[in-house]
Structure formats: C-alpha cells, structure tokens
C-alpha cells in the first residue's frame, strides 16, 4: 500500500485551495472582460495569450500540488510551468501573426481580427503535457527521488485522471442544480437567481471554486478514488481479449488481401495508430501497477502478451503508410504531427514487444517503457510547439522545395496551403515566391503567389486569371473542330464569383467539355459546359461581348450515356413537359425530383 502524504491533512490546505480557485476565477473574468471590451491586455496577443494559458493551467498545478508536494518543489514547478507556458503562447501567437506582428490575425471572412487567443491545438496538448509532467513530479517528490518507483507513478497518474473526471462531473451537476434552483424561484416571479447565474462575474469564480472544492474532496478521499480506479481497470482489462482477437484477425488477413485496400481509405495511419493506442490502454488496464496481488488471470496475460507483440506490425504499417504519403506529396503539418505520433507509438511498440519476450514477471519491463515514453512524449511536444520542429516551418520548407525543384508544377501546387496553414513561414515563402526571377515557370509562380496573398479566407482559392491560351487548352469544344468565341477566351473570369463558374475557367489543372448550341433561338450560340462530375452549366453572351452564367441543366448529367450522346451530337432541344408558373411578375420554375432522373 502506498503511503499517504501527511500534508493532505493540514487544515490550511482546504482554505488555500479555495483561495486559489477564487483567484483563478477572478483572473479569468478580468481577461474575459478585457477581450470583450478590446482593452489591454487583449489588444496585444504577446501579453494576452500567455496570461490566459497561465491563468488556465498554473492554478490547477497549485490546486493539485497543495497537500501532495513539498512547498519548495511546488513553487519551483509552478514557476517553471509559468515560464514554459508563457514562452509557448508567445511563439504560438507570433508564428500565426502576419508579417511577424503579433497584433495581427489572418483575414477571416473579410474582417481583420486581433490575434490574441492561443490556438486550440496548443491548449489541448499543453494540458496533456502538464498532466504528464505533474504526475511525474508529484510521484518523484513523494518518494524524494528524481525517478520514482513505477507503482507510485501508476497510482499518481490514474488518481489525477480519476480526480479530473469526477471534478468535471461535479461541475456539471453543480451548474445543473443552480439552473434548476433558479428555475424554481422563477416560477414564483423571483428572477434574481436566474439573472445572477448569467453574470460572468459570478460564472467564472463559481466554476473555479466548484472545481477546487471537488479536487479537494477527491484528494481527501483517496481510497474511494483508488477503488474507482481499480473498478475501471478491471472492466477495461476484460476488453483486452476481444481487442486482441480483432487485431490478430486483421493482421492474419493482410497477406491475403494485400495493403491496397488499406491505402484506399486515405486514413490508414490514423486508424492504425488509434488501434495501437487502444491496445496500449487495455494492456495497462490488465497490468495495473505490476504488483503480484494485482496479477490478472491467465487468459488476460496471454491476451496482453499477444497484444504487446502485435503493436510492432501495427505501428510499422502505419509508418509505411505515412512514408508513402510523404514520398508522394511531401511534408504537411498533419503529416509531421502524425510522424511525431508514430515515433511515440514506436517507443511503446518496441518496449512492449521487449517486455513480452523477456522472462520474468508478466510484462514487467513495460513499466520502464511507460516511464521512458512519458519523457519522450514531453520532449516531442516541446519540439513541436517551439521553433525546433514547428510543423508549419518544416512543411513550408518541404512544399516550397518541391515547387522550386519542379516536382510539382505551379498549376498543381497548393499556394493557399502556404497562405493559411503555413503560419508566418508560409506568408514569408509567398512573399519570396512573388519576387521569383529564375526558372522557366517564374512568371506563373509569381502570379499565383500574389493571388494567394490576396485571399481573404481559406475556402477561397487563388484568383488566377488564365490566359486565352490556357483557357483554350483546358476546354474541349464540340462539335469537333469548333472553337470558343474570342470574346469568351479574353474575358477576365477571375473578376466573377468562382463558385458560379465551371472550374476549368479559373483553374489551369481542371478540364471541361463545352458544347456550342443555340438554346433560346435568338441566333446566338450559348456554351454548355460539362464540368465533371455532375455540373452542366450554361454560359450566355449578352450581345456586347460579355459572358455570364445563364443557368444549368439538372438531371442525370453524370451518366456516361448522356455524355457520349452529347459528344456525338445526338441531342435536340425540346419544349418543357411541365410549364412554369407566372405569379406576381415572378416565374416559378418546375424542377424534376432527383429520384425521377436516373441513368438508363
């Protein structure tokens, strides 16, 4: 039995925790008010983002450490965490700011907004890293060693996890009761409590106080928390044989199916890594702290050993799938993060396989692996969220190198990726590409880089104005031998809304087919575009040389028989079967139901 920390029984601990919870709520409220009023420090991202991260996480370190850590250790760790969070937040804001100015945020929806909030990704992974570090430090301080025994690590980490889960449930119930109580008073026309709980000056301190209270109660009743943990582990451990059976069947089937179906999913790496994580969690649920009194039944030991060995092929296939994507398309932010996950998963896979084949107590050496992997995770996260291995910096360098080396032609290169996913490194690369002077395709690169810099949001692609020659190369005209009118080819299609146009008019890499025919009988031909896979758009000339989208044909335009007949000229115009309605000067058009128009 692990000895309890005597500091937890000190009468000053509950008061200190409540004071920390109240202070955290007040600081969060003040930061919220500053952001709402757009007042300092919310006018400067380099100040606001660090303050917000510190206010969110450092009080949690203090709440958990009070009564569980020596004072000097707690203060030193809280100070180090404050400095670390501030540095990460500063880098996070600066890397996403335009032109290096942390007060600017990328243009979104046509509005320029201040970049003051830490990114969601940083917030999530900072929480994960602090949880791991807190567990390591609390366990080490309890045993007065830099590296504690594995039972202490196991007990501390799972205790913290269960405490957080129970505290979250407590906060949810706390607010449910507040809302219920306010509703009861409102039934008798007393709305004081209903208005009270809606005020942010009440909301923030009340929530943080409730969390501090819940954390203290679960800390003081450690035996109950430990009992719940054992129950969760017991339930999870009996899922291990089922999961091991599924994975064994999957791996045994692969030699017969091959890897092609796996690559066709386009999310093989994510799925395989998720499966590996599930196996790791279930193996640890069965192993628990490794003590003899917690040894699982033989069936669980066999399933756990098999699962530990199967981690190696799972992670190897995931790494191979990721390597193929990188070789084909270069590095992106997602692929760099996935690589970091593969590295961590490989540490677990090799360590667990080593534990499975070594004699001795069942899976004894996964204890060493778990502790070592925790430090690896912290190192990987630190690298990803600092300039050391910033995914945006690395991916921008990879993609630009592919463009400049000619591996990817300009018309197929995603300049918008640099603009919105490359952070300030992507913008700097676009500025450099905008001034490119060397290379056979320098003019095209300059034009596309400038267009990407002018984009207002990530859903709007580059407004590249294609030359008449590029347009003519994109479009196959029917009847064979015909060409599009000169006025059509010379029109500036980039000035019109992209979503209204066939893709071949605005993107050099897209191809279309056009059919010239007179649809309205006015003596002027319209251009009917087949834009794969399902659009059939009609472009009409207004009599003065300007072309516009007149409408589109509905129906089974995706059918191969329809397209083949159009190419062969086997079509004719026909009067509508159903007439339109004219109501108050407006024409109501009849549209055929989708299920009534099917391929022959």
């Amino acid at each position: 039995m692990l000895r309890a920390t005597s500091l937890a029984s000190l009468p000053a601990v509950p008061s200190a925790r409540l004071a920390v919870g109240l202070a955290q709520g007040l600081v969060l409220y003040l930061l919220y008010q500053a952001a709402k009023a757009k007042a300092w420090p919310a006018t400067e991202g380099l100040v606001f983002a660090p303050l917000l991260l510190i206010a969110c996480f450092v009080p949690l370190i203090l709440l958990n450490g009070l009564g569980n850590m020596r004072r000097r250790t707690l203060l030193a760790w809280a100070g180090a965490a404050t400095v670390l969070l501030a540095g990460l937040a500063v880098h996070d804001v600066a890397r996403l700011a335009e032109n290096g100015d942390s007060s600017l945020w990328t243009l979104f929806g046509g509005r320029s907004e201040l970049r003051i909030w830490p990114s969601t990704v940083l917030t999530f992974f900072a929480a994960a890293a602090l949880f791991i570090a807190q567990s390591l430090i609390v366990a080490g301080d309890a045993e007065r060693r830099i590296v504690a025994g594995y039972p202490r690590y196991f007990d501390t980490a799972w205790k913290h996890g269960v405490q957080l889960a129970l505290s979250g449930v407590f906060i949810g119930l706390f607010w449910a009761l507040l809302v219920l109580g306010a509703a009861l008073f409102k039934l008798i026309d007393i709305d004081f409590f209903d208005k009270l709980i809606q005020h942010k000056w009440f909301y923030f301190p009340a929530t943080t106080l409730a969390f501090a209270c819940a954390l203290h109660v679960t800390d003081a009743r450690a035996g109950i928390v430990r009992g719940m943990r054992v129950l969760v582990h017991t339930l999870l451990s009996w899922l291990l044989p089922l999961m091991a059976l599924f994975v064994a069947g999957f791996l045994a089937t692969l030699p017969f199916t091959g890897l092609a179906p796996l690559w066709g999913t386009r999310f093989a790496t994510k799925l395989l890594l998720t499966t590996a994580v599930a196996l790791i969690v279930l193996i640890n649920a069965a192993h628990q702290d490794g003590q003899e009194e917690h040894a699982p039944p033989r069936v669980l030991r066999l399933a756990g050993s098999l699962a530990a060995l199967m981690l190696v092929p799972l992670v190897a296939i995931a790494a191979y799938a990721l390597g193929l994507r990188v070789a084909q398309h270069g590095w992106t932010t997602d692929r760099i993060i996935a690589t970091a996950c593969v590295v961590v998963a490989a540490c677990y896979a090799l360590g667990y396989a080593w534990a499975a084949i070594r004699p001795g107590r069942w899976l004894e050496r996964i204890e060493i692996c778990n502790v070592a992997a925790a430090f690896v995770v912290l190192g990987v996260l630190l690298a990803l969220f600092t300039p050391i291995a910033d995914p945006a910096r690395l991916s921008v360098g990879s993609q630009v190198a592919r463009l400049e080396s000619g591996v990817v032609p300009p018309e197929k290169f995603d300049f918008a990726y640099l603009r919105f996913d490359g952070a300030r490194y992507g913008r700097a690369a676009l500025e450099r590409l905008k001034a490119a002077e060397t290379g056979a395709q320098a003019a095209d690169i300059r034009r596309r880089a400038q267009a990407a810099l002018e984009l207002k949001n990530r859903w709007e692609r580059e407004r590249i104005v294609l030359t008449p020659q590029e347009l003519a190369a994109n479009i196959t005209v029917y009847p064979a031998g015909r060409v599009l009118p000169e006025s059509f080819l010379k029109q500036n299609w980039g000035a019109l809304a992209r979503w209204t146009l066939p893709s071949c008019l605005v993107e050099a890499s897209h191809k279309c087919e056009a059919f010239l025919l007179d649809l309205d009988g006015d003596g002027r031909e319209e251009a009917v575009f087949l834009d794969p896979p399902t659009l059939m758009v009609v472009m009409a000339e207004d009599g003065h040389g300007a072309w516009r989208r007149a409408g589109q044909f509905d129906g089974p335009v995706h059918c191969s028989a329809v397209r083949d007949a159009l190419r062969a000229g086997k079509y004719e115009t026909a009067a509508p079967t159903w007439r339109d309605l004219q109501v108050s000067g407006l024409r109501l058009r009849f549209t055929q139901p989708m299920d009534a128009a099917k391929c022959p």
Side-chain angles (χ1 to χ4, degrees), residues 100-178:
D101 182 356
S102 64
S103 294
L104 296 177
W105 175 226
T106 53
L107 295 178
F108 178 81
R111 295 186 300 116
S112 178
E113 297 190 357
L114 291 175
R115 166 64 178 163
I116 61 172
W117 303 98
S119 65
T120 304
V121 175
L122 172 63
T123 304
F124 175 81
F125 283 106
L130 289 175
F131 178 88
I132 296 172
Q134 180 80 0
S135 300
L136 293 173
I137 293 172
V138 169
D141 185 72
E143 294 192 356
R144 308 297 191 264
R145 295 191 296 171
I146 296 178
V147 179
Y150 183 74
R152 175 71 69 174
Y153 281 133
F154 182 85
D155 183 74
T156 301
W158 278 95
K159 174 189 172 184
H160 290 172
V162 174
Q163 281 183 298
L164 288 175
L166 291 176
S167 298
V169 171
F170 178 80
I171 291 174
L173 294 175
F174 169 76
W175 274 102
L177 291 178
L178 285 182

Side-chain angles (χ1 to χ4, degrees), residues 198-223:
Q198 295 181 29
H199 287 293
K200 292 297 186 284
W201 57 261
F202 176 83
Y203 173 85
F204 284 104
T207 302
T208 53
L209 274 173
F211 181 84
C213 179
L215 195 67
H216 178 73
V217 171
T218 55
D219 210 28
R221 300 291 186 269

Side-chain angles (χ1 to χ4, degrees), residues 554-560 562-563 592 597-600:
D554 294 324
V557 297
H558 63 284
C559 297
S560 58
V562 173
R563 294 172 179 263
Q592 188 180 27
K598 300 180 180 179
C599 291

Side-chain angles (χ1 to χ4, degrees), residues 26-36 41-42 48 51-52 55 117:
L26 293 175
V27 171
L28 290 175
Y29 169 71
L30 293 175
L31 291 175
Y32 167 81
Q33 285 296 105
K36 185 178 179 181
F48 184 85
L51 287 177
L52 183 60
W117 303 98

Side-chain angles (χ1 to χ4, degrees), residues 247-510:
V247 176
F250 167 76
L251 294 175
T253 307
L254 278 183
F256 303 98
T257 63
L259 296 176
L262 207 59
W263 306 154
T265 63
R266 296 183 178 273
F267 54 83
T269 299
K270 294 179 182 178
L271 186 59
L272 291 169
L273 289 179
T274 302
T275 304
V277 170
L279 285 178
I280 291 169
V281 171
L282 295 178
I283 290 170
N284 280 278
H287 181 267
Q288 297 193 41
D289 58 5
Q291 301 298 300
E292 290 294 337
E293 60 267 25
H294 297 147
R298 181 177 178 80
V299 63
L300 294 185
R301 295 199 300 270
L302 291 174
S305 298
L306 177 62
L309 292 171
M310 291 189 298
L311 283 173
V312 173
L314 279 179
V315 176
I317 297 172
Y320 180 59
L322 180 61
L324 289 179
R325 297 296 291 175
V326 172
Q328 291 172 343
H329 306 290
W331 291 103
T332 62
T333 300
D334 290 343
R335 290 178 196 133
I336 291 171
I337 295 175
T339 300
C341 294
V342 168
V343 170
V344 173
C347 293
Y348 278 103
L350 295 175
Y352 280 39
W354 172 55
I357 62 177
R358 288 293 297 268
R361 180 165 53 86
W362 180 64
L363 295 184
E364 177 182 4
R365 287 166 181 80
I366 73 167
E367 300 169 6
I368 301 175
C369 176
N370 285 341
V371 177
F375 287 99
V376 171
V377 170
L378 292 177
V380 168
L381 290 178
L382 184 64
L384 289 177
F385 290 98
T386 60
I388 298 173
D390 189 318
R393 180 179 65 83
L394 298 177
S395 64
V396 166
S398 170
Q399 295 300 324
V400 172
R402 287 166 57 84
L403 173 66
E404 293 179 333
S405 64
V407 174
V408 181
E411 64 271 15
K412 293 186 178 180
F413 185 78
D414 191 357
F415 287 86
Y417 175 84
L418 301 183
R419 172 70 175 83
F420 295 106
D421 296 290
R424 62 185 177 90
Y425 312 105
R427 288 188 57 81
L430 287 173
E431 293 288 352
R432 181 170 61 83
L433 293 173
K434 187 178 70 171
E437 295 293 342
T438 59
Q441 298 175 312
D444 196 17
I445 291 176
R446 288 197 302 269
R447 181 178 54 153
R448 294 177 182 275
Q450 179 62 45
L453 287 169
E454 294 173 356
L455 294 178
K456 302 303 182 185
N457 58 67
R458 66 174 62 245
W459 295 278
E460 181 185 63
R461 298 180 184 176
E462 302 100 314
R463 290 185 175 275
I464 301 298
V465 180
L466 302 183
T467 64
Q469 294 76 18
E470 289 174 323
L471 281 175
N474 271 4
I475 303 166
T476 303
V477 183
Y478 295 92
R482 296 288 304 278
V483 295
L484 289 167
E486 185 177 358
S487 60
F488 186 95
L489 295 175
K490 288 186 176 180
Q491 179 156 319
N492 181 7
W493 298 105
L496 302 179
R498 293 177 59 92
W499 64 271
T500 66
L501 303 174
S503 58
C504 56
L505 301 184
V506 289
E507 296 184 31
S509 59
H510 285 234

